[in-house]
């Protein structure tokens, strides 16, 4: 059903290159080849993404994966959005924009995730991702 954008995987492939690890280590068992998963215009099934992340967990520790998540936020795909977001939103407004049901920016990467939030204070949100 192609629920996940391959843009979500780019940062991990770049990290593999830095470690000089063959990119096929991430694609084993996904049903997709490296060329497909490195193409930011392609998408993959959720099960393939889960397998991809399982493969990633065999390469990086949880802390390293968290660091890669932060690296994604300054990636060439996301960086231009962060500049605009800083001008238009405070932190709460940004999360509102990302997690608007069916239309938020988060749906572009993960079409199968239903995210919601509850504002619990003037500058705090409780996020729920299903």
């Amino acid at each position: 059903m192609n629920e996940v954008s391959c843009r979500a995987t780019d940062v991990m492939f770049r990290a593999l290159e830095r470690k000089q690890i063959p990119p096929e280590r991430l694609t084993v068992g996904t049903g997709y080849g490296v060329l497909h998963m490195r193409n930011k215009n392609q998408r993959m099934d959720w099960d393939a993404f889960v397998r991809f992340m399982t493969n990633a967990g065999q390469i990086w520790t949880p802390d390293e994966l968290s660091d890669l998540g932060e690296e994604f936020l300054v990636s060439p795909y996301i960086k231009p959005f962060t500049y605009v977001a800083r001008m238009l939103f405070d932190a709460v407004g940004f999360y509102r924009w990302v997690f608007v049901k069916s239309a938020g920016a988060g749906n572009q990467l993960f079409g199968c995730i239903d995210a919601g939030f509850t504002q619990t204070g003037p500058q705090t949100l409780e996020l729920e991702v299903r």
Side-chain angles (χ1 to χ4, degrees), residues 22-34:
E24 291 79 11
R25 291 254 330 254
L26 287 174
T27 62
V28 170
T30 63
Y32 296 98
V34 172

Side-chain angles (χ1 to χ4, degrees), residues 88-101:
L88 298 176
F89 305 112
D90 63 2
V92 172
F94 175 75
Y95 280 101
R96 276 188 203 284
W97 176 66
V98 169
F99 292 111
V100 170
K101 289 189 187 294

Side-chain angles (χ1 to χ4, degrees), residues 1-68:
M1 293 190 29
N2 296 322
E3 300 98 341
V4 180
S5 170
C6 291
R7 284 186 167 103
T9 65
D10 184 60
V11 71
M12 291 183 195
F13 282 112
R14 287 188 284 124
L16 277 184
E17 287 173 2
R18 290 191 301 267
K19 286 184 154 218
Q20 298 181 341
I21 295 174
E24 291 79 11
R25 291 254 330 254
L26 287 174
T27 62
V28 170
T30 63
Y32 296 98
V34 172
L35 288 177
H36 178 93
M37 291 191 127
R38 296 226 51 186
N39 183 336
K40 295 176 195 128
N41 296 315
Q42 292 291 345
R43 298 185 72 81
M44 71 181 96
D45 293 336
W46 178 256
D47 291 342
F49 181 69
V50 169
R51 178 57 194 246
F52 179 91
M53 291 305 297
T54 299
N55 295 342
Q58 295 170 359
I59 298 169
W60 295 288
T61 67
D63 286 341
E64 289 171 324
L65 286 170
S66 179
D67 290 344
L68 287 174

